Amino acid sequence: MKNSFLIICFVMMALYCSATNYYLSNDGNDTNNGKSVAKSWKTIIRLNSQKLLPGDTVFFKSGDVFSGEVLVQYSGKEKKPIVFTAYGSGNAPVITGTVPISNWQPYKGDILVATTTILVYNLYVDGNMQTNARFPNSGLLKMDGGFNNAIAFTDNDLTQKDDYWVGATIRFRTWDWEYRTSKVTDYTDKKITIKDNSTNTLGAGWGYYFDNKMEELDTLNEWFFDKDKSLLYYHPAVADLSKHTVEATVYEAGFTINEKVKHIRISNVKIQQFQNFGVWAKGDNENIVVDNNSLEKINLTAINFNLASKNCQLNNNQIRHINGRGISALEPENMSITENNITQIGNIPGYGISGVNGMIGIAIENVEKIKTATDHIGINNLIKGNIIDSIGYVGIRMDGAKSIMEHNVVSNSLLQLSDGAAIYCWAKDGKYYTYDNIIRNNIIFNITGNNMGTPSELNPIANGIYIDNNCYNIRIEGNTVFNSTGSGIHVNSDAYDNWVTGNTVYNCQAAVSIAEWAKPNNTFGNKVENNILFATNKSQ
């Protein structure tokens, strides 16, 4: 009897400790057990109901498309991560935030209408993002004046009757370095009042436009969703929409990793067309690996790690056509961001992240408050070997301490905004925010700046490397910077004890510049030596 009891215990332990493979395919059935290709599940909904154990692997069939949000609710162990990946040959499996729309009926003129009970965030036709009914159809309007506040302005060129713009979305530029998004709450006598306070006083010369207004559905490829009536309207540019793929974004995140979940790997899948995030780690996560994935056409951020992740790796991902940020992490520790290809980030003004620090390729930031010696910050991080191109604002931002940024190639940044840089760091007042970092051996070029929609559209500020206020002990070494309309390397007011050495700067308005304007005698100890600096014309 005793031996039989021990045998049963060993069998139970073996069953508990053994890893299980689960399979999903478009030919599957959610009544299956999911434990083999022949018995695969069909939907993400079924996957989310399964309790996964350390060592389990979830396989999505290559070439198939799965609609919905994967909820990563359970932790693996150090040598037994829970893995989400692909099986079979062909293209990577697609995790999509869209559902197909096909029940189109004539509405008025060339406009069609379809019924859908799910909230629509965006519309794609043949994979191309369509325009939410806007005014004007291109370009920006200009504010004529404000009321010395951040919620109202006038535009004397508006001709619509009172109340016409109430409920519309307004997307507006309020600083050189940001766009914001809000709702119109009042429109009277050419005065626009908005719901959310701007960070700057609204005044003459700032650009804006309206969208999400049914009455402005007046040109090809525009759409509007009436959530009260559950009706989706679309003005197609093609004669027979049934011959084209029409998809509506209805889901917010591809993979959501719950707080405190650890030891997860997401690999070899394609994540696309979500409203908020491709991968969202909600905070206090450890040993999360996101590698060899493709992430594209996401409104906010492709990969977003909330506060205080540790020992996470984001490697060799292809990230493109993101409206907000490519990769974003808040106060990570020992994070590795390497060999990612990040392109076309933040190039639809007013979309993505509302406010400061949208339109960024890679961002490691701290919570914006004065830090003490005992506060947590981003620390010991590595940003290496990434290729970053065609970015609306900053290519790479790295705040925090004791981190390294090296061997990255950053090109064509600040395409939509200005007063920034291809590579950037910043610190709030105090000495425990951004310090003791190394920026070395990066190649940075074609930094333009864009002041469209600002009171002064000339001479945008666009730098190659920008060490901003209160950063110190930053070593800027061995970088190559060329073709900047601003400074190749700029050290701003109140930044101190930084070392600029061994860099090559070519064809920039200023090769190296140091500014002091905030507080007298607070910009000191910065050392510039052994750099090679080329000017190509007399104005430089």
Side-chain angles (χ1 to χ4, degrees), residues 177 356-357 364-371 393-394 396-401 423-430 432-435 437 439 466-472 474 492-495 517:
W177 55 84
V356 67
N357 295 320
I364 290 179
E365 295 180 287
N366 295 327
V367 175
E368 289 195 11
K369 67 173 187 177
I370 296 177
K371 301 287 189 176
Y393 187 43
V394 169
I396 304 174
R397 173 170 177 167
M398 188 175 75
D399 299 345
I423 288 177
Y424 177 79
C425 61
W426 177 83
K428 201 167 181 65
D429 289 347
Y432 300 107
Y433 201 99
T434 297
Y435 59 93
N437 294 323
I439 300 171
Y466 189 168
I467 310 303
D468 209 347
N469 314 129
N470 305 300
C471 299
Y472 68 95
I474 311 298
N492 205 10
S493 188
D494 296 357
W517 49 265

Side-chain angles (χ1 to χ4, degrees), residues 67-83:
S67 180
E69 302 176 332
V70 179
L71 304 180
V72 184
Q73 308 169 75
Y74 309 104
S75 292
K77 291 185 177 179
E78 184 174 356
K79 295 184 179 180
K80 292 185 176 182
I82 295 173
V83 178

Side-chain angles (χ1 to χ4, degrees), residues 352-405:
I353 295 169
S354 176
V356 67
N357 295 320
M359 304 177 168
I360 294 180
I362 296 173
I364 290 179
E365 295 180 287
N366 295 327
V367 175
E368 289 195 11
K369 67 173 187 177
I370 296 177
K371 301 287 189 176
T372 68
T374 58
D375 283 332
H376 191 272
I377 60 171
I379 194 166
N380 293 327
N381 298 300
L382 174 67
I383 302 176
K384 181 177 180 180
N386 301 282
I387 297 174
I388 300 172
D389 179 72
S390 299
I391 310 298
Y393 187 43
V394 169
I396 304 174
R397 173 170 177 167
M398 188 175 75
D399 299 345
K402 303 184 186 302
S403 298
I404 297 173
M405 183 197 309

Side-chain angles (χ1 to χ4, degrees), residues 338-502:
T338 65
E339 306 296 335
N340 299 283
N341 192 320
I342 302 174
T343 185
Q344 296 292 335
I345 309 297
N347 283 309
I348 304 179
Y351 275 71
I353 295 169
S354 176
V356 67
N357 295 320
M359 304 177 168
I360 294 180
I362 296 173
I364 290 179
E365 295 180 287
N366 295 327
V367 175
E368 289 195 11
K369 67 173 187 177
I370 296 177
K371 301 287 189 176
T372 68
T374 58
D375 283 332
H376 191 272
I377 60 171
I379 194 166
N380 293 327
N381 298 300
L382 174 67
I383 302 176
K384 181 177 180 180
N386 301 282
I387 297 174
I388 300 172
D389 179 72
S390 299
I391 310 298
Y393 187 43
V394 169
I396 304 174
R397 173 170 177 167
M398 188 175 75
D399 299 345
K402 303 184 186 302
S403 298
I404 297 173
M405 183 197 309
E406 63 182 1
H407 300 295
N408 302 283
V409 178
V410 185
S411 57
N412 300 300
S413 55
L414 281 93
L415 295 181
Q416 305 298 333
L417 297 172
S418 61
D419 202 351
I423 288 177
Y424 177 79
C425 61
W426 177 83
K428 201 167 181 65
D429 289 347
K431 66 176 186 176
Y432 300 107
Y433 201 99
T434 297
Y435 59 93
D436 290 354
N437 294 323
I438 298 173
I439 300 171
R440 67 187 175 200
N441 300 327
N442 301 283
I443 299 174
I444 303 151
F445 59 97
N446 296 352
I447 311 103
T448 56
N450 187 333
N451 273 2
M452 184 181 71
T454 70
S456 176
E457 296 192 350
L458 301 176
N459 302 318
I461 300 172
N463 303 307
I465 298 174
Y466 189 168
I467 310 303
D468 209 347
N469 314 129
N470 305 300
C471 299
Y472 68 95
N473 286 348
I474 311 298
R475 182 178 178 123
I476 305 102
E477 179 181 19
N479 301 282
T480 299
V481 185
F482 58 97
N483 299 348
S484 172
T485 59
S487 296
I489 300 171
H490 179 65
V491 179
N492 205 10
S493 188
D494 296 357
Y496 59 94
D497 290 341
N498 300 293
W499 189 13
V500 180
T501 181

